[in-house]
Amino acid sequence: MNSVSPTSNAAAFLHRYAGLAGRLPGADIPALRALRDAAAETLTAAGLPSRRLEAWRYTDLAPMLRGEFREALTPVDEAVALPPARADRRAVFVDGRFRADLSSLDGLVAGSLAEVIETVAPRLNTVASASQPMVTLNTLLFEDGLVLEVPAGTDAGRVELLSLVSGETAATVHPRHLIRLARGARLVLLETALSPAGSAHLHNPVFEIEVAEDAVLTHVRVQREAESAYHLAHLGVRVAEGGTYDGFVLNAGGKISRSETHLALLGPRAAAHLNGAQLVANGQLADTTTALDHAAPNCASRQTVKTVLSGRSRGVFQGKILVRREAQKTDGYQMNQALLLSEEAEIDSKPQLEIYADDVKCSHGATAGALDEDSLFYLRSRGIPAGPARAMLVRAFLQEAVEVVADEAAREALDEAVAGWWAQHGEAA
């Protein structure tokens, strides 16, 4: 491994890797050790994201990089208060480590990545890349994650993935989750990320997801971490012929939060839904970035992302749809809408289409505006006070995005998160 540059903004993480390399899971697996060493070399040369990278031009990590992060040291058997379960089967991670004593995975082919690292190491196909620096950092330092496989033709029902960061100041966790659905399988994965108020940690999860032929994965992600935390998530999704990835992400926490999804439709009739909502309050920045690759004919994609901003906050949407030459009869739709509740709020929107096929139906758009004064006047004239009237209009704005989630428990989790955010920030909006 090359020596660490003392000027690298990743120096603290690289020094930690140098000290931990021999103790990380899979340290004795040559291919995995080589993968981590390559990540170290990439970070040494390129560093962590700055606004000089086009993909990060709107999201400045400088406040995070000024912090002094360290490995979370929570004892593996420490008592933890859990929120009520939203599914009969649940995988619980505390500070990035699987807690078997808090989890219930009966009937599933699922468990801790650290415990099966020798088996799954060949599947870790995300190589070190200067264009995906947070994935590279995850590759460098991941210790655990969820491995979940749904056999062919099996409907696994609803499974909850609960990620808790205990609140230790400046802790950093980098879970790597591997989700695979075999041919004709089905799964609803309800993911929730939580941490106590005041926690200033870094949560940097990476998902590698494979959806085989005619399989259907519904993946709902709710991020409600502390408003002083940093949550930077990356999803790599591959969908085969006839498969469907139906995703929804709600970002309602974090000082800086980013949900980045790279999804490839690899076979005919594959489909993807990448919907979401961002609730951003004073001092926060929320970023939804997607790259959707139509690599096969007769595929469809839908994306609607809505952002509500209050106080001096900032929202970012970057969405790119690539239609390759062989992807004839592509049907793609992308829309980003922002509701600004303050004159100090800001939204940066960058929808993109890159099309090389000639028989396609694709559209994209972006809008930004304030609450409709006529609608507000109408509600006030019916005796509804200003606060509840504004809340009703905000809920109506978000409804189009949320209502596409078919799973009842997932919708309840989204509604609860929206209500909690408005209760905390609505008066200041």
Side-chain angles (χ1 to χ4, degrees):
M1 184 178 70
N2 292 344
S3 60
V4 176
S5 167
T7 61
S8 170
N9 62 6
F13 296 104
L14 290 162
H15 281 302
R16 182 183 307 151
Y17 174 64
L20 291 176
R23 293 183 285 134
L24 290 168
D28 57 347
I29 301 175
L32 183 52
R33 183 63 178 264
L35 187 65
R36 292 194 195 266
D37 285 347
E41 292 178 2
T42 299
L43 284 176
T44 300
L48 289 170
S50 72
R51 297 181 69 180
R52 287 175 294 183
L53 285 176
E54 178 63 24
W56 291 83
R57 64 178 297 188
Y58 301 117
T59 299
D60 187 1
L61 294 185
M64 184 192 83
L65 297 176
R66 288 193 291 266
E68 293 290 336
F69 292 102
R70 60 179 179 272
E71 182 184 9
L73 300 176
T74 307
V76 295
D77 57 350
E78 181 175 291
V80 176
L82 300 180
R86 297 189 181 277
D88 292 335
R89 291 174 294 182
R90 171 190 250 187
V92 178
F93 286 79
V94 179
D95 290 337
R97 299 178 178 92
F98 180 67
R99 288 286 298 267
D101 59 318
L102 303 176
S103 302
S104 176
L105 296 173
D106 295 343
L108 293 175
V109 182
S112 163
L113 178 146
E115 294 180 1
V116 294
I117 190 67
E118 292 186 3
T119 302
V120 302
R123 290 172 50 189
L124 297 172
N125 53 19
T126 302
V127 298
S129 168
S131 65
Q132 295 181 2
M134 298 311 297
V135 177
T136 302
L137 179 61
N138 178 285
T139 300
L140 190 74
L141 292 171
F142 78 84
E143 296 185 52
D144 208 348
L146 175 65
V147 177
L148 173 57
E149 303 197 14
V150 184
T154 300
D155 186 344
R158 185 190 305 128
V159 177
E160 183 179 11
L161 170 56
L162 179 61
S163 296
L164 303 176
V165 179
S166 63
E168 182 183 351
T169 302
T172 174
V173 295
H174 308 271
R176 178 67 67 97
H177 303 298
L178 307 181
I179 314 296
R180 176 187 286 176
L181 274 65
R183 185 185 186 102
R186 303 180 71 90
L187 171 68
V188 175
L189 182 63
L190 175 54
E191 176 196 349
T192 306
L194 300 171
S195 66
S199 177
H201 61 272
L202 166 62
H203 187 185
N204 178 37
V206 169
F207 286 79
E208 295 188 27
I209 298 173
E210 297 181 23
V211 181
E213 294 87 347
D214 300 316
V216 179
L217 172 59
T218 299
H219 186 189
V220 177
R221 309 182 63 240
V222 180
Q223 188 273 116
R224 299 181 64 185
E225 295 185 328
E227 293 182 9
S228 50
Y230 302 93
H231 183 100
L232 307 172
H234 181 101
L235 286 76
V237 186
R238 297 165 58 86
V239 185
E241 179 177 355
T244 298
Y245 177 83
D246 188 358
F248 189 99
V249 58
L250 174 67
N251 277 322
K255 183 174 183 177
I256 297 177
S257 63
R258 177 175 168 114
S259 176
E260 181 171 350
T261 302
H262 291 251
L263 187 147
L265 299 174
L266 300 175
R269 298 180 295 101
H273 306 141
L274 297 179
N275 300 308
Q278 302 184 118
L279 306 178
V280 199
N282 193 45
Q284 292 179 284
L285 183 153
D287 177 339
T288 294
T289 293
T290 62
L292 209 159
D293 184 354
H294 281 262
N298 294 291
C299 294
S301 63
R302 295 289 182 270
Q303 182 173 29
T304 299
V305 175
K306 300 209 170 191
T307 304
V308 178
L309 304 104
S310 71
R312 190 172 183 175
S313 60
R314 188 172 184 179
V316 176
F317 171 79
Q318 300 180 106
K320 180 177 181 179
I321 297 177
L322 168 64
V323 182
R324 298 183 183 273
R325 190 178 306 278
E326 60 270 27
Q328 302 294 335
K329 299 190 180 301
T330 285
D331 183 356
Y333 171 82
Q334 180 187 85
M335 174 59 70
N336 172 231
Q337 296 176 312
L339 180 62
L340 284 70
L341 304 179
S342 164
E343 293 183 356
E344 297 180 297
E346 178 182 340
I347 181 73
D348 294 296
S349 187
K350 186 183 176 184
Q352 302 173 79
L353 293 176
E354 186 175 343
I355 301 173
Y356 297 97
D358 53 18
D359 184 6
V360 302
K361 182 172 67 174
C362 290
S363 63
H364 67 180
T367 65
L371 286 175
D372 183 72
E373 292 296 332
D374 290 340
S375 298
L376 187 59
F377 176 80
Y378 175 83
L379 294 174
R380 294 295 309 279
S381 69
R382 265 51 181 180
I384 301 175
R390 290 166 67 84
M392 290 174 65
L393 293 177
V394 171
R395 293 282 188 94
F397 172 77
L398 291 170
Q399 187 61 32
E400 180 185 354
V402 174
E403 69 185 2
V404 301
V405 178
D407 184 78
E408 182 177 352
R411 279 201 315 275
E412 289 178 359
L414 294 171
D415 288 340
E416 179 184 298
V418 171
W421 182 87
W422 183 260
Q424 185 175 357
H425 301 289
E427 290 298 323

